Amino acid sequence: WLGRLPLTEGRRRNKNKNSNPSVRENMFTRVVAVLLIAVSAAVIVPGWAADTYKGQVAGVGAVEVELVERGTPTFPRRARSYGVSGSVLVRFSIDVEGNAIGAVIVESKPRRMFDRSAMRYMETLKFAPYLVDGKATEVNDVQMTVAYVLEGA
């Protein structure tokens, strides 16, 4: 009977508390991480880590073109409200003035969620015109991945 003392109010409180400091620190870290995720804003990361892209020029073959100007793609409200990140692979050509033209979506994940935003983003791109014998020429089959990353997702 002595080994089975009834739980007093003080013993009940201590029973529910975790006295291990590492568990408390881990729990604190998780709470802070959840709060940071909840407060964080969406960040969009276009696929332009390198400022050059590969394309094809008739009679020349594979070439690299330099991206000199770009806008910022907008993160779709629907994707933000669902907490979804994704990417769109776009194939396009570059005209003699350096504009992206004829953009076509090759692949998008998730399907259709970011397509409209990626196509609008393509209109903001400006490339250095590719010169062949001192004359600007069109570059075809250029591909770019536009990534949409919801911070904390």
Side-chain angles (χ1 to χ4, degrees):
W1 188 85
L2 289 175
R4 302 173 105 198
L5 292 173
L7 291 175
T8 62
E9 189 60 34
R11 287 187 63 202
R12 278 190 190 111
R13 272 187 268 130
N14 289 339
K15 181 180 178 188
N16 292 333
K17 286 185 179 177
N18 193 334
S19 60
N20 186 345
S22 66
V23 171
R24 277 185 280 162
E25 289 172 8
N26 190 12
M27 194 176 292
F28 177 76
T29 303
R30 286 183 182 174
V31 168
V32 169
V34 168
L35 288 174
L36 287 174
I37 290 170
V39 173
S40 67
V43 174
I44 300 171
V45 183
W48 34 258
D51 287 326
T52 60
Y53 292 89
K54 293 182 180 174
Q56 297 287 323
V57 172
V60 175
V63 299
E64 286 193 357
V65 288
E66 183 182 355
L67 179 62
V68 294
E69 192 178 314
R70 58 183 161 253
T72 302
T74 56
F75 205 100
R77 280 183 283 175
R78 189 176 74 163
R80 185 188 313 268
S81 68
Y82 291 156
V84 175
S85 296
S87 63
V88 179
L89 177 61
V90 183
R91 184 178 60 237
F92 57 98
S93 296
I94 300 168
D95 67 12
V96 295
E97 296 173 350
N99 300 309
I101 59 169
V104 176
I105 294 172
V106 176
E107 180 179 35
S108 61
K109 294 178 185 177
R111 284 187 66 224
R112 301 180 68 188
M113 180 77 69
F114 300 99
D115 293 4
R116 186 175 297 145
S117 174
M119 294 303 276
R120 285 188 186 132
Y121 173 68
M122 297 309 293
E123 295 172 1
T124 69
L125 301 179
K126 186 75 171 178
F127 292 85
Y130 189 80
L131 303 176
V132 175
D133 298 327
K135 184 178 178 187
T137 186
E138 189 171 296
V139 181
N140 300 306
D141 294 328
V142 182
Q143 290 192 354
M144 172 187 283
T145 299
V146 183
Y148 295 83
V149 179
L150 189 62
E151 197 170 280

